[in-house]
Amino acid sequence: MEHDARKIRPDAGANFHALFSRRGGFRSRRFSIKSCIFGGVEMNQPDILILANTIDPEEARVAIVENGRLSELFVERMWECQKSGEIYKARVESVLPGMNAAFVGLGDGRNGFLYLNDARGVKVQQNGEVLVQVVKTARKNKGARVTARISLPGRYLVLVPGGRDVGVSKRIVKEEERGRLKEAIRALDTAGYGVILRTASEGVDADALADDFERLKKLWRDIEDSAAKQTAPCLLYKDMGLVGRVLRDELSSEVSQIVVDNQEEYDRVGDYLERYSAAEKTPALGFHRSNIPLFEYYDVEKEIDALLDNKVWLKSGAYLVVDQTEALTVIDVNTGKYTGGHNLRETVLATNLEAAEEIAWQLKLRSIGGIVVVDFIDMEPEEDKKALLAKLDEVFAADRCRVRVYGISQLGLVEMTRKRARADLRSVLTRPCPLCGSGSRVLKEDSLALMLKRFIRKVFLSGRAEAVLVDVNESVAAYAAQVYLSLWEETFGRKIFLRGRLDMPLEKFRLDLQGSLNSIESRLELMRSRGDTSVVYRTTDP
């Protein structure tokens, strides 16, 4: 049995009711979906799915799938620190007047960077203490960006301690509804707090808004109490787990199903949906129980693999080349195999308009932020240029991260910026290649190790082997053995042997043998007798 981490395609013909059940079936409420054919079996598929892959404690992944295509991917690993939303009681390490900033110690990882403009009204001096919140997670060589302006997001509103104003999301456009929401908040005791009403609050009654407000107010009081009792630097508040944050920020009436593969997470999601079911339409909740991993069942693994490539093919045969650098992202549009229709002008315009849609999708999917420069195919007619800019405004309108398009430059380039809400997926999943040094990237050791764990899980689920011997690239085997192997054996209750092979690609794993522990030991003895000098990694010596 061999596994290529870049070529995953499962057999998806499993029984639907066996896959998604909790003691025999779905919860009876909230299930509005359409029918489709999947893996040769007719089953129900919603237009928008949220898939939560949290079965592994080392890594949580949440995918949003729109009309069968991966739209967004969120990844969180257990050893990450200084995540966005966390609140710290920090110690001021240094104040830099020339940069109008300060570095603050958070107690874990790199120092945070605080602009003094984000701390107006707060005394910031060396060796002093200050309450800060992470607004940008530490990435690459940069520490976390923090602010002294604390905000606590809820499902319907954001609480701003020390604020006074009541704001409403710009996505709520009806003036009557904006006024109703403001009046509902002003009827509450908001002294000492500012409130921002989120898009999800549209149509929600005053009681639900009041419940959300009181919940956040109690949370802030608890944080203040904790800050008074602890010394800096220390963590005071950790935001919801990955699944909870995605549900809070991304859940809408368009989502018709959530599928989870972890029982504890399933229960938490169920409780969350129950809490808000009276105020809004909530989706169906399914539990994934199958030998086929959740992301493989929905072909998400294949799409994750594709999003790491810099070439993106369009339906017409044209393609994009996406190059991410430290300073900006450059996207080149090419006609490729597309030969067009009646004339060159129509061909160029059609290609550019199709590319504009795909660029919006790729920026969101890859979580690319900062400066983006697009080299569309040159167009001379002004009306075609206006049509392209109008298309860009249209496709970015629904993006939760603010996008500003600055028109077409004299060189024919479209310049834009996109708010960076989280680390881009390329930096999360990959690192610069240590060998080629030419800008190429390879998957991080942790990404490869977790692929290996998923492969081993499938092997154990396919039989009752007491132990397995797996051939793995030498560097991956060494890293997995050092960091994870004992934890994996405890999780599976089986013995795992990893044979390091210098001739194996990083992303390939091969099952050499599965069976009893004695059979594995005999196999290893036979290998040694034949002069095999490969290093075999195990938790204990025989």
Side-chain angles (χ1 to χ4, degrees), residues 500-518:
R501 296 283 299 273
L502 294 172
D503 59 340
M504 287 199 70
L506 287 171
E507 298 161 344
K508 271 201 171 185
F509 323 121
R510 182 170 61 241
L511 176 64
D512 186 282
L513 182 65
Q514 60 176 321
S516 66
L517 185 57
N518 287 337

Side-chain angles (χ1 to χ4, degrees), residues 150-152 154 156-169 181-182 184-198 201 209-210 212-214 216-217:
I150 309 296
S151 61
L152 298 175
Y156 303 126
L157 51 88
V158 177
L159 187 72
V160 184
R164 293 178 297 176
D165 298 331
V166 177
V168 182
S169 167
L181 292 170
K182 286 183 178 181
I185 295 301
R186 286 170 179 153
L188 305 174
D189 180 14
T190 60
Y193 300 99
V195 175
I196 302 171
L197 287 140
R198 310 184 72 185
S201 66
L209 297 176
D212 212 27
F213 176 76
E214 292 299 329
L216 292 174
K217 197 160 71 167

